[in-house]
Amino acid sequence: MLGIFVLCCSYVFSQFYRAFLAVLTPVLGVEMGMNATDFAYASGAWFAAFGVFQFPVGMLLDSIGPRRTAGYIFTIFAGGGAFVFALAPNTEMIIVAMALIGIGCSVALMAPMYIFVREYDAARFATLISLFVGIGTLGNIASSEPLAAAVELYGWRQCAFALGWGTLAVGFAILFFVRDPEKLERQDGQGGYAELFRIRELWLIFPVILCGYMVGAGLRSSWIGPFHSELYGYETLQIGRVTLYMSIALVLGTFFYGPLDRIFNSRKKVVLFGQLATLICCLAMAFSLPEDPLWSAAAFAFIGFAGANYAVQMAHGKSFLPVHLTGRGVTLLNFCSIGGAGIFQWLSGVFVEMQAVPGDPRIGYEALFYFYSFFICVACLIYAFSKDAEPNSRGF
């Protein structure tokens, strides 16, 4: 249990790092001259690096186990990246630092997920991951108003140095306390990723995993700050409060979805429900952005809650994976989720910049929600034809 605890601590940092740029929007805008597109690129670098590194993480989990894989990668890249961020002299180094941190965080959820698949009841997988993600999302909360207050008191560079030391401490704790599951006879992952791509059931699940985390991650990690700054004149502490509301909604949504697949005995229906609810809210925002910032904050919180079904998406895909390819399988699915968030983060930045009208930021942000709505709709249409995976035969 102590090993799971320190892995959970690493995931708290992962959730923090993927979202903390939003709160730093005003200060980095002044000091580095960063604009909304720069923040989208920096956040996208985190997600893209995180996603690409899923492939070596998967192979390492299947070959050497979670202890060394998580311990070394998290310590070297996440810890080192935090110090690069603290010392960054310009926007380009901020982007490099975010990419390094993304690599370091790429293993934070995959290592415990590997352990859950190997050592726990398969029917409770979504619930276990939801609990783990829900607790880890406390990092998302910490990166909102608490971070804003700390930046106001101590400065953003001092906060980044403190995060770096904390990251190193957790990395060393992983190496000391985590224990690897027993090795399988086919520990070499015979067949590799080629075998996974031959599983037809996964192909209709990939699109919804690719787009399922796109909106919540994109809005929370980069757009929520510029959105409220440009439309409503919000400053650091006000942006921190709005991101706090969305972060709390993400936590509550994660816990909400956790047991639903066993209650309704369906993973597909639960995922579709969440994605369609997100689509409806995005369309409403696309047609007309709220004049009142309170309604805007409520819409962001609702999107965070409705789209927080990552664990059920992963459980649906995981149900078709062979045991000897557990590491490669879960990281491939996570690559689609996080890599998709990174890709769409960059694309959304380009799209908003193309649609933006000087002097009227509303046009660009309405286009952003049209962008999200289109891809969610396409993903749901494909996913509707996927094969369901029932956790049990009785519904509970």
Side-chain angles (χ1 to χ4, degrees):
M1 287 300 294
L2 192 55
I4 295 295
F5 172 77
V6 295
L7 286 171
C8 192
C9 290
S10 74
Y11 190 61
V12 170
F13 273 98
S14 177
Q15 286 282 346
F16 181 96
Y17 284 130
R18 75 184 59 186
F20 79 128
L21 272 182
V23 170
L24 299 180
T25 298
V27 65
L28 292 181
V30 172
E31 186 167 329
M32 302 283 190
M34 294 179 67
N35 57 33
T37 302
D38 293 328
F39 283 106
Y41 288 156
S43 181
W46 189 96
F47 284 103
F50 185 113
V52 170
F53 220 68
Q54 293 301 295
F55 296 107
V57 164
M59 292 185 284
L60 289 169
L61 287 172
D62 282 331
S63 58
I64 66 173
R67 183 183 69 84
R68 286 176 290 172
T69 302
Y72 291 129
I73 292 176
F74 187 77
T75 302
I76 295 169
F77 290 98
F83 287 112
V84 172
F85 189 96
L87 296 168
N90 51 43
T91 299
E92 289 73 20
M93 286 307 297
I94 290 287
I95 294 174
V96 170
M98 291 299 292
L100 291 173
I101 296 171
I103 293 172
C105 293
S106 65
V107 73
L109 182 58
M110 294 300 96
M113 192 176 291
Y114 179 91
I115 294 171
F116 290 151
V117 171
R118 291 287 313 281
E119 298 191 337
Y120 290 82
D121 180 15
R124 298 182 179 273
F125 180 80
T127 302
L128 287 170
I129 293 299
S130 293
L131 287 171
F132 191 91
V133 171
I135 295 170
T137 308
L138 292 174
N140 208 299
I141 293 176
S143 68
S144 57
E145 191 170 10
L147 174 63
V151 170
E152 288 284 323
L153 284 173
Y154 305 110
W156 71 272
R157 291 189 187 274
Q158 288 75 11
C159 290
F161 277 118
L163 289 166
W165 288 115
T167 303
L168 291 181
V170 171
F172 288 129
I174 291 172
L175 289 168
F176 189 79
F177 292 112
V178 172
R179 296 292 177 266
D180 293 323
E182 291 185 12
K183 290 187 176 182
L184 294 168
E185 290 184 9
R186 295 183 71 183
Q187 186 68 20
D188 61 346
Q190 208 169 10
Y193 287 106
E195 182 177 339
L196 291 173
F197 282 113
R198 287 195 292 269
I199 301 173
R200 294 182 178 180
E201 290 84 355
L202 293 178
W203 282 99
L204 295 178
I205 300 174
F206 283 146
V208 81
I209 295 180
L210 190 70
C211 298
Y213 188 48
M214 164 187 66
V215 184
L219 293 180
R220 173 61 186 86
S221 61
S222 64
W223 288 115
I224 192 170
F227 180 93
H228 287 87
S229 175
E230 294 179 20
L231 292 186
Y232 306 114
Y234 276 17
E235 297 183 353
T236 301
L237 288 176
Q238 292 170 303
I239 292 172
R241 184 161 290 116
V242 175
T243 55
L244 175 64
Y245 297 152
M246 187 175 185
S247 299
I248 292 173
L250 283 164
V251 174
L252 295 177
T254 300
F255 286 126
F256 170 76
Y257 282 109
L260 291 188
D261 65 330
R262 288 186 293 122
I263 292 175
F264 294 104
N265 201 27
S266 171
R267 286 165 177 156
K268 177 179 173 179
K269 292 177 183 176
V270 173
V271 172
L272 276 176
F273 167 79
Q275 295 306 307
L276 290 174
T278 303
L279 173 61
I280 291 170
C281 191
C282 284
L283 285 172
M285 293 287 281
F287 286 132
S288 179
L289 295 176
E291 295 290 341
D292 189 337
L294 292 179
W295 281 108
S296 173
F300 274 71
F302 179 82
I303 289 172
F305 182 90
N309 49 36
Y310 165 85
V312 187
Q313 297 172 31
M314 293 295 289
H316 193 184
K318 187 272 306 178
S319 61
F320 301 109
L321 300 177
V323 176
H324 68 283
L325 291 175
T326 296
R328 287 169 169 82
V330 295
T331 52
L332 175 62
L333 294 171
N334 201 46
F335 166 77
C336 288
S337 178
I338 301 298
I343 291 169
F344 285 115
Q345 193 81 304
W346 273 332
L347 290 176
S348 67
V350 173
F351 187 74
V352 169
E353 193 170 35
M354 290 172 56
Q355 300 298 317
V357 175
D360 189 0
R362 295 177 65 87
I363 302 299
Y365 288 115
E366 287 175 351
L368 172 68
F369 286 101
Y370 276 117
F371 175 91
Y372 285 145
S373 298
F374 173 78
F375 285 103
I376 296 174
C377 185
V378 171
C380 287
L381 287 173
I382 298 172
Y383 183 67
F385 294 95
S386 66
K387 180 180 179 182
D388 203 352
E390 299 177 353
N392 52 68
S393 59
R394 294 175 294 176
F396 290 93

